[in-house]
Amino acid sequence: MDEATRRAQLLKMKRVATGLLVVALLVFIVARMFEPAYPWLGYVRATAEASLVGGLADWFAVTALFRRPLGLPIPHTAIIPTQKDRIGRVLGGFVEKHFLSREILSAKLTGLRVSERAARWVVRPENSARVATQLAAAVAKAVEALPEAEVTELIRRGAVARLQSVRVAPILGNMLSVVAADDRHQELLDEAIGLVTRAVAENRDTLRESFREGSPWWLPGVVDEALYRRIMTALDMLLADVRANPAHPLRRRFDEVTRDFIERLKHSPDVIARAEALKRDVLDDALMDALSNSLWARVRQAAARYGGEPDPALLEPLQRGLVTLAESLLANQILLSELDAFLAAQVSALLEDHRQEVGALIADTVKAWPPGLASERLELAVGRDLQFIRLNGTLVGGLAGLIIYTCMQLW
């Protein structure tokens, strides 16, 4: 309930309790006036008199908690306004001792089954979509907030360190071994032959001119042309024969050279050293700076797409992943129990370690309240229930008065 509702209920109960006390007073006055004429009204008068005494006593007791009755400086009244600091310390110590112990917190948190509740909540499409949106937006904001210079330097150092620690030649040798295992390297030779064939066909005039310029001056033109044609014909036949014949000696030689090269990449110290030197030359500062800047730019561009109002299609994989994770958790009760136990242990340990701060917070908060505000807040919290004490005092007091008066008459 909000404060206005509690205040209205408190005022209503005060009126009821006070109204009952007024009724008892009126009954007492009427019974007292007519008792000489009607002696049986003595029972009514005794009951009303005792009700007045009980009701007034409980009114005094309840009122004395929050303020001075009738504004009179009676000792040991207005207990809450005058003792609020001590009440705050006692309340803080009570909560610290009896509510924030590890055993109580752990048992309560385990019973809540937080993991299962969270998983069932995430499984619902509207909730998983909301979580995916919030998660993506948070990541995007975190990426935007990162300092560009420091991040790119971190990427550069990490990439350089990682690449420098990797030996390039053996990795390249293993890759080529995979290719050569199925004779796929012969396809590379076929592509190379095709490239050479096309180059020769497309540049015959250039080759003819180069051949003519390289021929001796004394060689007759007819002989020069004949030599050129024979050479080109032999080259065309060789390329065609190699392409058409899987068992051509040139292919076998290419296979031997390739496998020897692979072995040297894997095991030759000289080849490995030359590859590492080449790697160091390639991985210069300018290249790595460009690589790290490009990578960070791509990360920021990707993050920007998820900021603000991202396209739901972009978030669909993340949403599916969240739902899949939640469904997997729900299907594994052992894992859910372990997660609950872990969360309970961590949270209870954290709260227990800081329970003194919680107790001090309660005490300091109550201490900071003005006396009137402290009294008002506590009265709004429990004052309505205290009015039942006044009601009970009036009714029980009347009953007690009736019993005592009856016993005296029978005595």
Side-chain angles (χ1 to χ4, degrees), residues 90-255:
V90 172
L91 181 60
F94 182 80
V95 172
E96 175 185 338
K97 181 178 180 180
H98 297 286
F99 288 87
L100 298 180
S101 66
R102 182 172 301 192
E103 294 77 12
I104 295 175
L105 291 170
S106 180
K108 182 63 176 178
L109 291 171
T110 302
L112 290 176
R113 300 183 66 84
V114 176
S115 300
E116 182 177 348
R117 290 186 178 186
R120 293 190 184 281
W121 186 83
V122 171
V123 165
R124 299 174 61 183
E126 62 274 17
N127 295 330
S128 59
R130 186 187 311 171
V131 173
T133 301
Q134 295 296 329
L135 183 60
V139 172
K141 291 180 180 178
V143 170
E144 288 295 329
L146 292 175
E148 182 176 357
E150 296 181 11
V151 173
T152 53
E153 176 62 20
L154 180 64
I155 294 175
R156 191 188 69 81
R157 288 202 307 266
V160 169
R162 183 62 179 171
L163 292 174
Q164 293 290 5
S165 65
V166 175
R167 298 173 68 185
V168 176
I171 294 177
L172 182 59
N174 291 330
M175 294 174 60
L176 292 178
S177 295
V178 174
V179 174
D182 298 329
D183 288 334
R184 300 297 295 273
H185 60 295
Q186 292 293 340
E187 295 181 6
L188 297 177
L189 180 59
D190 289 336
E191 292 294 329
I193 293 173
L195 180 62
V196 172
T197 302
R198 288 192 299 272
V200 170
E202 294 171 358
N203 296 276
R204 285 188 176 275
D205 293 339
T206 304
L207 292 173
R208 179 67 187 90
E209 185 65 25
S210 298
F211 187 84
R212 182 181 294 110
E213 292 177 355
S215 298
W217 61 270
W218 47 266
L219 188 67
V222 176
V223 176
D224 181 75
E225 181 66 22
L227 288 175
Y228 167 74
R229 291 183 179 279
R230 289 178 66 85
I231 291 173
M232 295 303 298
T233 300
L235 179 60
D236 290 338
M237 292 176 62
L238 175 63
L239 293 175
D241 190 21
V242 172
R243 169 174 286 186
N245 185 7
H248 195 279
L250 187 59
R251 286 187 178 275
R252 292 197 298 271
R253 179 57 182 165
F254 177 73
D255 185 70

Side-chain angles (χ1 to χ4, degrees), residues 350-393:
L350 178 64
L351 291 176
E352 186 181 47
D353 292 341
H354 296 277
R355 61 180 179 176
Q356 292 182 347
E357 288 86 342
V358 176
L361 174 63
I362 295 174
D364 293 341
T365 301
V366 175
K367 183 178 180 180
W369 291 347
L373 180 62
S375 178
E376 179 184 3
R377 286 179 173 173
L378 290 177
E379 186 175 15
L380 287 176
V382 299
R384 178 179 179 273
D385 296 324
L386 293 178
Q387 299 309 308
F388 284 99
I389 296 177
R390 295 178 57 191
L391 292 173
N392 293 334

Side-chain angles (χ1 to χ4, degrees), residues 2 52 98 201 222 256 270 368 405:
D2 57 16
L52 279 173
H98 297 286
V222 176
E256 294 173 359
D270 293 338
Y405 183 80

